[in-house]
């Protein structure tokens, strides 16, 4: 076996390619891990913020059971809560108007 300049050149080129691919693989792994960590952090924050809503949706799916009686019960509860809120806001508005009238 003879060692020529071409063998030396292609060997050095092969080592350079291995080094380049190792650096590229390491950088891709690093940036992939950073993106994965960032997405997990954003997901954790969003999950923390949206937990009350998702629990409510889960309760609605479980409570209804996709039968007519359950859906009717959920609709009636929503209407009852809306009416109660409307009554509380109306009473508060009346009390505030009476308070303003007494100030004059």
């Amino acid at each position: 076996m003879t060692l020529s300049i071409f063998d030396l050149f292609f060997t050095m080129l092969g080592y350079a390619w291995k080094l380049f691919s190792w650096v590229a693989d390491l950088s891709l792994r690093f940036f992939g891990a950073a993106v994965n960590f960032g997405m997990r952090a954003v997901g954790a924050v969003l999950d923390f913020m949206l937990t009350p809503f998702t629990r409510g949706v889960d309760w609605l799916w479980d409570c209804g059971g996709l039968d007519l009686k359950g859906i009717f019960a959920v609709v009636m509860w929503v209407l009852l809560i809306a009416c109660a809120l409307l009554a509380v806001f109306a009473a508060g508005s009346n009390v505030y108007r009476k308070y303003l009238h007494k100030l004059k």
Side-chain angles (χ1 to χ4, degrees):
M1 180 170 140
T2 61
L3 186 64
S4 70
I5 190 75
F6 296 110
D7 291 333
L8 183 64
F9 177 72
F10 284 119
T11 303
M12 289 176 57
L13 191 63
Y15 288 143
W17 180 254
K18 284 183 183 179
L19 178 67
F20 175 74
S21 63
W22 178 76
V23 169
D25 179 54
L26 190 65
S27 64
L28 281 176
R29 286 178 189 249
F30 175 75
F31 288 121
V35 168
N36 187 15
F37 180 74
M39 292 301 286
R40 285 181 186 255
V42 168
V45 168
L46 286 176
D47 188 37
F48 179 71
M49 289 172 50
L50 297 176
T51 295
F53 302 111
T54 56
R55 287 195 182 179
V57 170
D58 287 342
W59 177 80
L60 283 175
W61 285 121
D62 292 340
C63 179
L66 296 179
D67 61 342
L68 194 56
K69 184 179 175 184
I71 292 172
F72 182 72
V74 168
V75 168
M76 287 313 208
W77 274 107
V78 168
L79 286 175
L80 181 67
I81 291 169
C83 288
L85 284 175
L86 187 64
V88 167
F89 288 143
S93 176
N94 286 339
V95 168
Y96 183 67
R97 246 188 293 147
K98 286 181 182 180
Y99 173 71
L100 287 180
H101 184 66
K102 284 186 179 182
L103 285 179
K104 289 182 181 180

